[in-house]
Amino acid sequence: TASQVESNRYFAVKAISEFTIDGPVLCLAYSKHNQHGDNVCPKVLCGSMCGFACYFCPCSGTKSGFDGPFSITEGLWNQNLCEEDSVMSICEFSYGGAHEGSLICLGLFSGRIVCYTPGSRGKSELLNELALDPSMHQRLGLNCLNSLPNFHPVWSYSLPLPIHSIGVANSGIFSDIVVCTGRTLHLFHSSTERIAEGTLERLDALLHKYSNGNYSDDRVRSNNSESKIQ
């Protein structure tokens, strides 16, 4: 039809990937943030009714498909209802106070808002994922799995009503969060103090990295932030 022809002028199918996770999917988001030096890693973020969030990314080097799911968090619990806390909204945005430069924010049915930051993946986390899916090592390879981040909660806030959606205003170093519930709208401003601390942590990590002669790895590991500026 004429409307279909007109729509094809603006949008085209680049790739088709099929994703499967446990439980009904309540929210999806597409993210394309610069987290590893100059390498941009596109991700599909998913929130489930069963109290967990995950993402898919082209880890194995395929240009047209995504690998996963890889866990962001799981076991979210709604104490008021004594059941799993559904992830109603999910998004990733730039934030100057985060070590890797971005945060993933979840809005839950219980009214909680939780932000996660990516960090280095420890041996125990890697072994746990391989135990859940032994074929993952064969499909993706150990180097790919080691490069995936492990997410840690860094900030949370509770509202009295379920979170319907989360958006970002002024995306960048000083990003603000816009949160919508069934009856209210909330704006959360960036903390200038936390952004200053995050900037010092990243400078500290860069000094530690280059003072050790590590020029080959563009990714700054989160545990380097514990070192002191000489």
Side-chain angles (χ1 to χ4, degrees):
T1 64
S3 60
Q4 291 175 332
V5 173
E6 183 69 17
S7 65
N8 290 335
R9 294 177 55 192
Y10 297 92
F11 301 98
V13 176
K14 184 176 181 180
I16 298 176
S17 299
E18 182 176 344
F19 309 133
T20 303
I21 66 173
D22 184 18
V25 176
L26 295 183
C27 55
L28 289 171
Y30 180 75
S31 173
K32 202 171 184 180
H33 278 269
N34 218 347
Q35 288 186 343
H36 307 290
D38 295 328
N39 298 321
V40 177
C41 180
K43 293 191 292 292
V44 175
L45 309 172
C46 303
S48 170
M49 182 184 291
C50 298
F52 73 92
C54 61
Y55 70 98
F56 300 81
C57 66
C59 176
S60 60
T62 57
K63 296 182 179 180
S64 59
F66 286 75
D67 300 302
F70 305 111
S71 175
I72 297 173
T73 185
E74 58 187 23
L76 297 170
W77 189 255
N78 189 330
Q79 295 182 352
N80 294 329
L81 300 179
C82 293
E83 63 181 24
E84 294 163 325
D85 203 354
S86 302
V87 180
M88 307 292 290
S89 180
I90 186 171
C91 69
E92 183 176 23
F93 58 94
S94 300
Y95 183 70
H99 188 275
E100 293 283 354
S102 68
L103 295 175
I104 291 181
C105 189
L106 307 183
L108 308 181
F109 185 81
S110 64
R112 287 188 296 162
I113 307 163
V114 188
C115 287
Y116 294 82
T117 184
S120 59
R121 180 174 295 266
K123 184 177 180 180
S124 59
E125 289 88 357
L126 180 58
L127 292 176
N128 288 337
E129 290 209 5
L130 291 176
L132 293 174
D133 186 1
S135 66
M136 187 179 293
H137 178 275
Q138 183 177 7
R139 289 187 290 109
L140 304 180
L142 190 58
N143 290 335
C144 172
L145 293 176
N146 281 327
S147 68
L148 296 173
N150 187 45
F151 291 88
H152 308 278
V154 292
W155 180 82
S156 65
Y157 193 86
S158 294
L159 296 174
L161 296 171
I163 307 300
H164 283 198
S165 63
I166 297 177
V168 179
N170 303 320
S171 180
I173 296 177
F174 296 95
S175 296
D176 297 330
I177 305 175
V178 181
V179 179
C180 178
T181 71
R183 298 180 181 178
T184 58
L185 184 66
H186 304 264
L187 176 63
F188 295 87
H189 288 292
S190 297
S191 168
T192 54
E193 180 180 352
R194 176 55 212 162
I195 290 175
E197 292 175 356
T199 302
L200 289 176
E201 288 175 1
R202 288 194 295 275
L203 289 174
D204 191 11
L206 286 172
L207 287 174
H208 183 83
K209 171 186 175 182
Y210 289 110
S211 65
N212 292 337
N214 184 14
Y215 305 101
S216 59
D217 188 4
D218 288 331
R219 183 180 178 188
V220 180
R221 302 295 181 183
S222 62
N223 56 7
N224 287 345
S225 62
E226 299 176 359
S227 62
K228 301 300 181 182
I229 297 178
Q230 303 297 326

